[in-house]
Amino acid sequence: MTPTDSPTTRARTTYGAVLGSPYVARLLGGTLIGRLPNGMAPVAIVLLVTTDGGTLAFGGLLSALYGLASALSQPVKGRLMDRHGQTRVSGPAAILNSGALLALPATSTTGSPAAAVMIVVLGGLAAPPQEAGLRALWPSVLPDPVRRHTALALDTGTQGLLYITGPLLVAALTTAHSPALALAFTAALGLAGTALVLTAPPSRAWQPTATRVGGAPCRLFNRGLLILFAALVGVGVAIGGMNVWSVGMAERHDTGLLAGVLPVAFSTGSFLGGLLYGHRTWPGTPTRQLLTGAGGFALGWLPLLTLPTPAPATAAVFVPGAFLTLIVARAFTITDTLAPPTRTTEAYAWLILSIGVGQATGAALAGRLAGHPHALAALPAVGATLALITLLLARPGRSPARPGRHRHQHA
C-alpha cells in the first residue's frame, strides 16, 4: 500500500481553526488576489480591442494567446521555482506580467497588431505560478494533515470565484471609466497579491530541495502521474465544452444572460462542494475518493443530454461543479505523493496545465459542434466519462511512490 492509498480517518476540523493557523489567511488571501488577473485579463483584453475599434475576432485571439502562453509556461516556471525558490521566480514574473498589462493600452491594438501580440504573449508567459506555489507551501505551513486537507479544499473550491468576481470587476471598471483602467487595476492586483505571498515568512523561508537525490537525476514523469494528468485532460474537456454549450444555450433560448449564469452556477457548485468536502476528512483512500469524485462528475453531466430548458440546465450544472473540487483536491494529493521531492512545484504546474489543455480542447471541439445541439450537450459528459474510464483502468495512486515525503521545511 502506498501513502496515497492509506485510509483517511474521520477527523474533523473547522475553517476557523485552519484560517486561524499562522499565515494561512494571508497566503490564501494573497494568492486569490494575485490570481484574480487570470479571470480579469482575458476579458479586459477583449474589451480594450473592441473599444479601440478592433474586431471581436482579434480581441478573442489576443485573449486566447494570453491564456495559452500562461498555461503552457506553467511547468517551466514551476521547475524554476523548484530550483531557485519562490521569491526569485514569482517576484520578477509578477513585475513583467503587470508591466505588460500596463503597456498594452499604450499600444494601438488596431494600428500595431504585431506589437499587441508580442505584449500579450509576454504577459502570459510571465504570469506568476501562484497556484502551484501555494500548494508547495501547505505542507510546511500546515504539518497536520487534517488541517492541510481542509486548506487544500478551501483553496481549490474558492478558485471558481475568481472567474465570477474577475469579469464582474472588469465590466464595472470598464463601464465606469475604460478598459485601460480595468487593465491597470488587474496589474495592480497581480502585484499586490504576489507581494503579500512572497513577503510572508513561509514563502521567504521555503527552500528548493537539492536537484539530485543520491547522486541520480530525479525523473518527473512516471506511470501514475501520466495517467492522472491524462484523466485531468478529460475533466478540462468537460469544463471547456460546458462554457461553449452555455453560449449555445443562450442563443437557442434567446437569453444572453445564460452565457454567464450557467458557468456561474457551475462555479458556485464547486465553491459549495469545496466547503462541504473540506469541513471534514472523508473515509477511503485518496485514490478511491478521486474515483468517487470522477464518477459523480461524469453522472452530473448526463441531464444535459435531454436538452433541458434554462432553469433545469442551471440546476444541472451545479452538480458536476460540486464534484470538481473533490477531483482537483485529491489530484493534488496524489501528485504530491507520486512526484519526486525535487520537482513538486513543477508537477503541480503540469497538473494545472493538463486541465487547461483539456479546457482549450473542449472549447475547440464544442465550437465545431455548435450546429449540433445534441452532440454539443453530450461533449461535457464524454470528457468526464473518458476521465473516469482512464482512472478506473489504471488507478494512478497505486503506482510506486517516491520515498521521503514530505520534504519542504522552514529554513
Side-chain angles (χ1 to χ4, degrees), residues 224-328:
L225 283 180
L226 289 173
I227 291 165
L228 177 62
F229 295 163
L232 292 175
V233 170
V235 172
V237 167
I239 299 171
M242 182 269 300
N243 289 329
V244 178
W245 167 80
S246 300
V247 176
M249 282 283 293
E251 293 178 350
R252 189 159 56 252
H253 293 279
D254 196 25
T255 308
L257 194 62
L258 274 179
V261 168
L262 292 169
V264 165
F266 179 79
S267 297
T268 302
S270 176
F271 174 63
L272 295 179
L275 291 180
L276 176 63
Y277 175 63
H279 181 64
R280 54 169 290 182
T281 53
W282 297 85
T285 66
T287 299
R288 183 170 294 278
Q289 290 182 14
L290 176 65
L291 289 170
T292 300
F297 188 70
L299 290 173
W301 295 112
L302 294 182
L304 271 60
L305 301 179
T306 65
L307 298 183
T309 55
T314 303
V317 298
F318 184 92
V319 177
F323 284 97
L324 180 63
T325 296
L326 171 55
I327 294 173
V328 176

Side-chain angles (χ1 to χ4, degrees), residues 10 13 56 58 74 85 87 96 121 165 277 293 304 310 319-320 385 394 403:
R10 293 177 174 268
T13 189
L56 182 60
F58 184 59
Q74 285 291 325
T87 303
L96 282 174
V121 170
T165 307
Y277 175 63
L304 271 60
V319 177
T385 301

Side-chain angles (χ1 to χ4, degrees), residues 58-71:
F58 184 59
L61 173 64
L62 290 183
S63 178
L65 286 173
Y66 180 88
L68 186 63
S70 175

Side-chain angles (χ1 to χ4, degrees), residues 69-312:
S70 175
L72 293 178
S73 61
Q74 285 291 325
V76 175
K77 291 177 285 193
R79 185 165 191 177
L80 289 172
M81 190 178 286
D82 280 332
R83 290 183 173 222
H84 304 293
Q86 298 198 348
T87 303
R88 294 173 64 183
V89 176
S90 286
I95 293 172
L96 282 174
N97 174 261
S98 295
L101 294 178
L102 290 172
L104 188 60
T107 304
S108 174
T109 56
T110 54
S112 305
V117 168
M118 291 177 61
I119 291 172
V120 163
V121 170
L122 174 63
L125 291 174
Q130 297 269 12
E131 187 175 357
L134 179 63
R135 305 287 160 80
L137 289 176
W138 283 139
S140 58
V141 175
L142 292 168
D144 176 14
V146 175
R147 292 194 175 188
R148 189 163 65 244
H149 161 88
T150 301
L152 181 59
L154 184 61
D155 169 21
T156 304
T158 53
Q159 68 180 337
L161 299 178
L162 302 176
Y163 298 95
I164 300 173
T165 307
L168 288 175
L169 277 174
V170 170
L173 290 169
T174 300
T175 301
H177 194 272
S178 67
L181 178 63
L183 278 169
F185 193 66
T186 301
L189 285 175
L191 281 175
T194 302
L196 197 60
V197 172
L198 294 184
T199 56
S203 179
R204 288 189 286 109
W206 187 86
Q207 295 292 326
T209 308
T211 57
R212 292 175 180 265
V213 176
C218 282
R219 178 183 177 186
L220 173 59
F221 291 108
N222 52 60
R223 178 178 175 273
L225 283 180
L226 289 173
I227 291 165
L228 177 62
F229 295 163
L232 292 175
V233 170
V235 172
V237 167
I239 299 171
M242 182 269 300
N243 289 329
V244 178
W245 167 80
S246 300
V247 176
M249 282 283 293
E251 293 178 350
R252 189 159 56 252
H253 293 279
D254 196 25
T255 308
L257 194 62
L258 274 179
V261 168
L262 292 169
V264 165
F266 179 79
S267 297
T268 302
S270 176
F271 174 63
L272 295 179
L275 291 180
L276 176 63
Y277 175 63
H279 181 64
R280 54 169 290 182
T281 53
W282 297 85
T285 66
T287 299
R288 183 170 294 278
Q289 290 182 14
L290 176 65
L291 289 170
T292 300
F297 188 70
L299 290 173
W301 295 112
L302 294 182
L304 271 60
L305 301 179
T306 65
L307 298 183
T309 55

